[in-house]
Amino acid sequence: MLQATPLTEGWILRHEGEALPAVVPGCVHTDLLAAGVIPDPFLGLGEREVAWVGRREWTYETDLAPSDGHEQTDLVFDGLDTVAEIRLDGQLLGRTRNMHRSYRFDVTGMAGRLSVRFVSAYAEAEAVRGQLGERPGAYAEPYQYLRKMACSFGWDWGPTLVTAGIWRPVRIERWSTARIARVRPLVSVEQGVGVVELAVEVERARVEAPLTVEAVVGGVRARAAIDKASGAVRLEVPEARLWWPRGYGEQPLYEVELTLLHEDGPLDVWRRRIGFRTVELDRSADEHGTGFCLVVNGERIFARGVNWIPDDVFPSRITRERYRERLGQAAAAGVDLVRVWGGGIYESEDFYDACDESGLLVWQDFPFACAAYPEEQPLRGEVEAEARENVVRLMPHPSLVLWNGNNENLWGFRDWGWEGRLAGDSWGEGYYLGLLPRVVAELDPTRPYTAGSPWSGSWEHHPNDPAHGTHHSWEVWNRLDYAAYRSEVPRFVAEFGWQAPPAHATLRRALAGEELAADSPGMLHHQKAEDGNGKLRRGLERYFAFPEGDFDRWHYLTQVNQARAVAAGIEHWRSHWPVCAGTVVWQLNDCWPVTSWAAVDGDGREKPLYHELRRLYADRLLTVRGRVVAVVNQAGEEWAGVLRLRRMSVEGAVLGEAELGFRAGRRAVAEVPVPDELEPAGPKEFLVADADGLRALHFPSPDREIPYPRPEFDVTVAPGAVTVTARTLVRDLLLQADRLHPAARADRGLVTLLPGERVTIGVTGWETPDPDAARSALYCMEPAS
């Protein structure tokens, strides 16, 4: 039977004659941090002080003991970052140049000193650029010239920390006769029967040994012979329970076990969990353009999505527990789709396992982002090898529903001046429209593929045409106010968002000792977007009097503006289902403490946007759209009730009201016209719409024009709770719980109270409730000064 022994002990990191203890899996930066050689690059200006690390060579070493009792011994690396030379007892085993692949070396009969020497990723990238020629990209760093996590070279939300190391597990595998080299599971549903077809490849130590495989799933067992190096076995599971996205049903998972046998003795075992479901991508043309709608088990899905970036710039630090915490936050916010963005990595099995269990659909980008990528060697072979490996690796996961060729590269070719600069040079089109769809069609025909995001479906339309396929809405934020979201109805919005700084406690930890200001040195260093602070300011000034010199007020208002911006988009687009079939917010998470578009900051704290997503992505939503109230019902049953409309003054008077019946079908939208007499007139009035405990508010004027009363409210505290009772209109009340204690969390974000209304905010991690402290951590809209 194959025996696997992890190689985690005894590693050292060598550099210029010095030896430091090393942790494997890990990376150079984390080892240097642990040894106290470098400062924490996440704190203050520390990133600048460690830039040299990415431009040096590094070597990992350990001793490999001799092995016996088996015919074959393999050294297996699940991931090497990135350009490495592997030697055992001085003998060259091989060279690598791809972070996204695994590697296996035959070390039968060998022992001695194992060394893995990493060349600087910069040196490799610059050498490839010199060989193949310059290619344009969104950033000056040379990330498109090697197969490595692009965002380790920095992004508009991330630091430039170019890593090296043995970033995924390494082990010794000992085996005899034969081993399982690859299993490709095709999982389908045919007339209520779950079908599993397992294509098996084996590696042999004995060429003539008769081999069979036996597979078991859901109590069904089947056997098949292995002919030389391959074979296949098919199993049918009657009345298989379907796996559903969260909110649509349950997520039953079936254990599949495949055993390789020789003379009825086991040689190797492959185990995975699968789920039975069907998935299609409806790209039909209609009177609105070209659709883009995921269909799971025959049910059309409005995707309530978030974009996912690597949760740490040092991915080896992301544990199973951390994946589950972050993805649990997504699920708790009503998210049902997570897009794994193309500037990152193919995530670990822990990520996809968590998505399988929680019903989070996964849209998986191939790792290409915001650049022209050469299609010649040495890159082309690496691209195909990594695609083939990762498609097969991730196939068992029912949560995976879409393969996407790249992020923004087709759009970049058309709109970012690339075409003229390339002058006919390759730039990646052959990957996205040729190689990758062929690989997916060959290996994983059960899932749809799209060439890119954004992508209109063909060159007949602009790549980012909102009427065709996927759309990235970045004119808003970069140039336009978020009110512009309401000017169009894209078929599927795969990226959009608005920035805000991280939580106060996150800033205090990352910028300890600094007097915080929007433009203080640390704040500017932890703002990576081009003119990011300028865009934040212009976004605020459209609605508020800018709080010059008041950091706390600036911090609060930027959080409010982020939540309002995203709400403007999602409410509008959800109300136009089924023309629009999904929104994928940029972004769920951060990889370090930074001002960014994230809903959850780099320390894992939820911004107000996160709590707003819980409202926006709930099954049922009310929103005021022009002169109608849209009643959005994504639940599986009809929603019928009474809508109460009130025209109110900011002083709290009811100026008019009505009760109107509504009926919204399952997974449908109904529209209720607002009577003319209830339309708010001028900045002193607003509209309130209530139904079944849900509320929509419409203020027709920007805050700077609204004569808010000075907010008055009472605060009481109890263990685990802060209760606020309003005596006036209190708009966008926010308890910043982390100001009470860094470990404190609130269970809700922004809330607007009418006079006499009360809200109780749950608080965890605050051991000594104090009304004065609670009041000092409460922020809301105030009269313009």
Side-chain angles (χ1 to χ4, degrees):
M1 189 72 168
L2 182 145
Q3 294 180 353
T5 305
L7 279 181
T8 57
E9 304 297 328
W11 287 94
I12 63 169
L13 175 64
R14 288 195 182 276
H15 172 63
E16 295 182 351
E18 295 188 17
L20 302 172
V23 173
V24 172
C27 75
V28 169
H29 286 83
T30 53
D31 289 330
L32 296 176
L33 267 170
V37 175
I38 61 172
D40 189 333
F42 288 9
L43 303 183
L45 308 182
E47 174 197 357
R48 297 176 180 173
E49 299 179 47
V50 303
W52 59 273
V53 175
R55 293 192 174 274
R56 304 291 177 87
E57 290 191 1
W58 304 90
T59 300
Y60 284 81
E61 293 183 355
T62 191
D63 289 318
L64 194 62
S67 61
D68 52 25
H70 291 82
E71 295 174 333
Q72 179 94 16
T73 302
D74 292 339
L75 172 64
V76 183
F77 294 94
D78 285 342
L80 292 169
D81 175 18
T82 292
V83 184
E85 179 182 88
I86 301 94
R87 293 181 179 272
L88 180 56
D89 199 26
Q91 180 176 332
L92 178 66
L93 298 179
R95 296 184 175 92
T96 73
R97 58 194 315 148
N98 193 328
M99 179 180 184
H100 305 302
R101 293 178 58 188
S102 63
Y103 298 92
R104 178 180 292 268
F105 302 103
D106 183 351
V107 293
T108 305
M110 301 177 68
R113 196 65 169 171
L114 173 64
S115 73
V116 184
R117 182 175 68 89
F118 289 95
V119 175
S120 163
Y122 278 111
E124 167 72 7
E126 288 158 2
V128 173
R129 179 168 57 189
Q131 174 187 344
L132 302 181
E134 188 78 30
R135 299 297 196 282
Y139 303 97
E141 298 282 312
Y143 56 89
Q144 67 267 52
Y145 301 102
L146 75 168
R147 300 307 299 152
K148 175 177 171 59
M149 183 175 85
C151 63
S152 70
F153 288 91
W155 221 259
D156 56 6
W157 37 257
T160 301
L161 294 167
V162 179
T163 52
I166 305 172
W167 77 288
R168 281 184 165 161
V170 55
R171 62 190 175 277
I172 290 293
E173 289 189 358
R174 301 176 178 90
W175 52 278
S176 297
T177 306
R179 70 170 187 89
I180 298 171
R182 187 173 81 161
V183 178
R184 186 167 61 89
L186 289 173
V187 181
S188 59
V189 181
E190 300 176 6
Q191 298 180 333
V193 175
V195 178
V196 184
E197 299 176 87
L198 301 172
V200 186
E201 298 176 12
V202 301
E203 180 184 0
R204 289 175 174 267
R206 297 188 214 166
V207 176
E208 301 301 327
L211 301 174
T212 59
V213 288
E214 181 177 79
V216 182
V217 59
V220 177
R221 187 180 301 268
R223 276 198 180 202
I226 295 295
D227 181 13
K228 294 185 179 179
S230 64
V233 58
R234 176 185 170 100
L235 302 98
E236 297 185 358
V237 180
E239 300 179 356
R241 298 172 61 212
L242 293 181
W243 184 97
W244 287 94
R246 63 169 305 282
Y248 290 81
E250 297 181 346
Q251 293 80 43
L253 297 171
Y254 289 76
E255 185 86 21
V256 179
E257 181 177 282
L258 182 139
T259 305
L260 178 65
L261 301 163
H262 171 56
E263 297 178 346
D264 291 329
L267 299 175
D268 197 359
V269 177
W270 178 91
R271 295 184 183 90
R272 296 292 188 278
R273 291 186 304 174
I274 63 166
F276 293 104
R277 56 102 186 95
T278 64
V279 60
E280 303 167 78
L281 181 60
D282 185 354
R283 290 184 267 204
S284 302
D286 57 26
E287 67 272 26
H288 304 287
T290 308
F292 192 94
C293 183
L294 286 165
V295 185
V296 180
N297 298 329
E299 187 81 61
R300 299 176 69 81
I301 306 291
F302 180 96
R304 293 169 277 188
V306 289
N307 282 276
W308 171 275
I309 66 170
D311 204 52
D312 195 322
V313 76
F314 306 131
S316 59
R317 296 199 297 200
I318 308 173
T319 62
R320 179 180 180 86
E321 292 71 30
R322 183 161 158 187
Y323 275 124
R324 290 178 179 273
E325 177 188 2
R326 200 69 70 243
L327 292 167
Q329 288 172 307
V335 169
D336 59 21
L337 180 142
V338 178
R339 175 191 173 209
V340 182
W341 167 76
I345 57 176
Y346 306 94
E347 296 286 346
S348 79
E349 297 296 329
D350 294 331
F351 175 93
Y352 304 96
D353 286 344
C355 292
D356 292 343
E357 293 165 13
S358 58
L360 289 169
L361 301 174
V362 176
W363 160 333
Q364 177 70 52
D365 281 14
F366 287 97
F368 301 88
C370 300
Y373 284 76
E375 297 176 37
E376 294 80 14
Q377 298 293 9
L379 289 172
R380 186 176 184 86
E382 292 292 344
V383 167
E384 180 165 1
E386 82 178 49
R388 288 183 172 279
E389 176 175 340
N390 284 286
V391 166
V392 172
R393 177 174 75 88
L394 300 182
M395 280 176 66
H397 295 284
S399 57
L400 178 58
V401 294
L402 181 67
W403 292 104
N404 176 50
N406 75 88
N407 175 75
E408 298 189 344
N409 294 344
L410 296 160
W411 181 22
F413 178 76
R414 176 59 53 87
D415 265 9
W416 300 350
W418 293 1
E419 189 169 3
R421 292 172 60 188
L422 285 163
D425 286 343
S426 66
W427 55 276
E429 182 183 28
Y431 296 146
Y432 319 134
L433 299 178
L435 173 64
L436 295 175
R438 285 198 301 271
V439 168
V440 172
E442 174 194 341
L443 298 177
D444 189 15
T446 67
R447 288 181 179 86
Y449 170 89
T450 184
S453 185
W455 179 234
S456 59
S458 78
W459 288 115
E460 294 180 6
H461 305 289
H462 187 281
N464 200 29
D465 187 333
H468 300 277
T470 50
H471 176 66
H472 289 194
S473 183
W474 285 119
E475 284 298 295
V476 171
W477 166 253
N478 283 320
R479 278 165 284 278
L480 302 177
D481 176 47
Y482 58 75
Y485 285 143
R486 304 186 184 102
S487 66
E488 61 187 13
V489 182
R491 306 310 303 268
F492 192 106
V493 190
E495 281 189 22
F496 71 106
W498 198 272
Q499 271 201 350
H504 186 263
T506 300
L507 290 173
R508 282 269 56 98
R509 185 188 72 83
L511 305 177
E514 179 169 306
E515 183 176 349
L516 294 178
D519 58 355
S520 62
M523 287 295 295
L524 290 177
H525 184 73
H526 289 248
Q527 163 62 281
K528 296 296 187 179
E530 181 181 1
D531 191 29
N533 273 17
K535 293 170 185 175
L536 285 174
R537 181 177 187 121
R538 291 189 290 275
L540 288 182
E541 288 177 336
R542 293 184 180 108
Y543 295 93
F544 311 102
F546 191 80
E548 296 284 0
D550 186 343
F551 177 80
D552 289 344
R553 196 75 190 160
W554 176 87
H555 184 268
Y556 162 72
L557 290 176
T558 53
Q559 300 279 355
V560 169
N561 227 28
Q562 181 187 39
R564 287 193 191 176
V566 172
I570 293 178
E571 288 186 5
H572 179 69
W573 296 321
R574 278 194 71 181
S575 75
H576 281 91
W577 162 260
V579 177
C580 180
T583 57
V584 189
V585 177
W586 187 271
Q587 63 216 63
L588 173 67
N589 59 324
D590 270 328
C591 64
W592 76 314
V594 65
T595 296
S596 84
W597 299 262
V600 178
D601 77 16
D603 282 6
R605 294 185 174 92
E606 299 94 353
K607 297 183 187 179
L609 170 60
Y610 172 83
H611 297 284
E612 187 71 350
L613 285 177
R614 294 172 60 189
R615 180 183 72 85
L616 297 167
Y617 277 166
D619 280 349
R620 291 173 172 174
L621 174 70
L622 298 178
T623 181
V624 180
R625 194 185 76 208
R627 299 180 67 88
V628 304
V629 176
V631 180
V632 181
N633 179 30
Q634 207 163 344
E637 58 279 337
E638 181 184 80
W639 183 19
V642 175
L643 181 69
R644 183 188 182 195
L645 298 178
R646 283 177 286 172
R647 177 183 163 203
M648 297 190 66
S649 74
V650 293
E651 289 84 11
V654 178
L655 306 176
E657 61 183 318
E659 290 189 350
L660 305 171
F662 68 86
R663 186 178 301 276
R666 69 182 295 275
R667 315 206 196 284
V669 179
E671 295 182 353
V672 180
V674 177
D676 291 344
E677 64 272 17
L678 296 186
E679 279 288 318
K684 293 185 177 182
E685 297 180 7
F686 62 101
L687 180 68
V688 183
D690 291 299
D692 292 342
L694 302 181
R695 171 172 287 176
L697 296 168
H698 171 54
F699 288 81
S701 301
D703 296 71
R704 66 174 184 270
E705 299 176 7
I706 299 174
Y708 289 117
R710 186 157 300 281
E712 297 180 7
F713 51 85
D714 299 319
V715 179
T716 60
V717 300
V722 174
T723 299
V724 178
T725 304
R727 287 185 268 119
T728 63
L729 170 67
V730 179
R731 189 178 183 193
D732 283 331
L733 179 74
L734 175 66
L735 175 65
Q736 296 194 31
D738 60 290
R739 290 178 179 265
L740 301 172
H741 189 279
R745 298 286 195 276
D747 68 356
R748 67 180 60 207
L750 300 166
V751 59
T752 293
L753 300 175
L754 304 181
E757 291 185 334
R758 171 183 299 172
V759 65
T760 296
I761 305 167
V763 181
T764 59
W766 186 34
E767 303 300 330
T768 55
D770 176 355
D772 291 336
R775 182 175 282 275
S776 70
L778 287 164
Y779 291 76
C780 65
M781 289 297 129
E782 297 177 351
S785 56

